[in-house]
Amino acid sequence: MTGRMGRACAVCAALGMLWWATVRLAWAGVGCEDWGCLVPAVGVVVTISLALLAGAALVLERVDVRPGRRVALVAAGALVAFRLAGETLPSWTSQVADAVAAGAAFAGAGAVAAFVTEAGVARRWKVAAAVALVALGPVALAVSLARSGL
């Protein structure tokens, strides 16, 4: 199981770095300064994200993390939870830190997805992981409200 989680973690981390780089290029390519180009820019980001999700399923299958589609979908769900929780973190201006954070989030999502989709893991652990992911949203909101003094 740890080998499967490690492979999923490495694949997702690499895809996270690729996602970060392509999204940065897409935003720079759109180069808009007003709200009028927000819809096309977000559309490009969504397209990139969906293409990498499909690619993740294929790459995960190639490195024996099966079923690749299921692991990729669970990783995408974990990424949404991590993204919501990441909103409470302070922002930084370093692009390197931003790239490392994206890679780490993708790697963590890959590891969680490999764990949750493993056949040998007891159902209670899968449920606990799902509850922990769902709890990230309210915890992040509470931290954000506490930090702002509300």
Side-chain angles (χ1 to χ4, degrees), residues 23-141:
V23 166
R24 297 276 302 166
L25 286 173
W27 278 107
V30 170
C32 64
E33 300 292 328
D34 59 1
W35 288 97
C37 63
L38 184 63
V39 172
V42 170
V44 168
V45 170
V46 168
T47 302
I48 290 168
S49 300
L50 290 175
L52 282 176
L53 177 65
L58 294 173
V59 174
L60 287 166
E61 285 281 339
R62 299 271 300 163
V63 297
D64 293 329
V65 180
R66 293 190 173 90
R69 279 183 266 175
R70 187 169 167 212
V71 175
L73 287 173
V74 172
L79 276 171
V80 170
F82 291 161
R83 177 68 178 133
L84 289 174
E87 287 297 317
T88 63
L89 297 174
S91 62
W92 43 73
T93 58
S94 171
Q95 290 184 6
V96 174
D98 196 27
V100 169
F106 273 74
V112 167
F115 176 76
V116 170
T117 59
E118 176 68 38
V121 174
R123 184 171 177 85
R124 68 178 174 273
W125 290 110
K126 292 178 182 185
V127 170
V131 168
L133 284 175
V134 170
L136 280 177
V139 168
L141 179 63

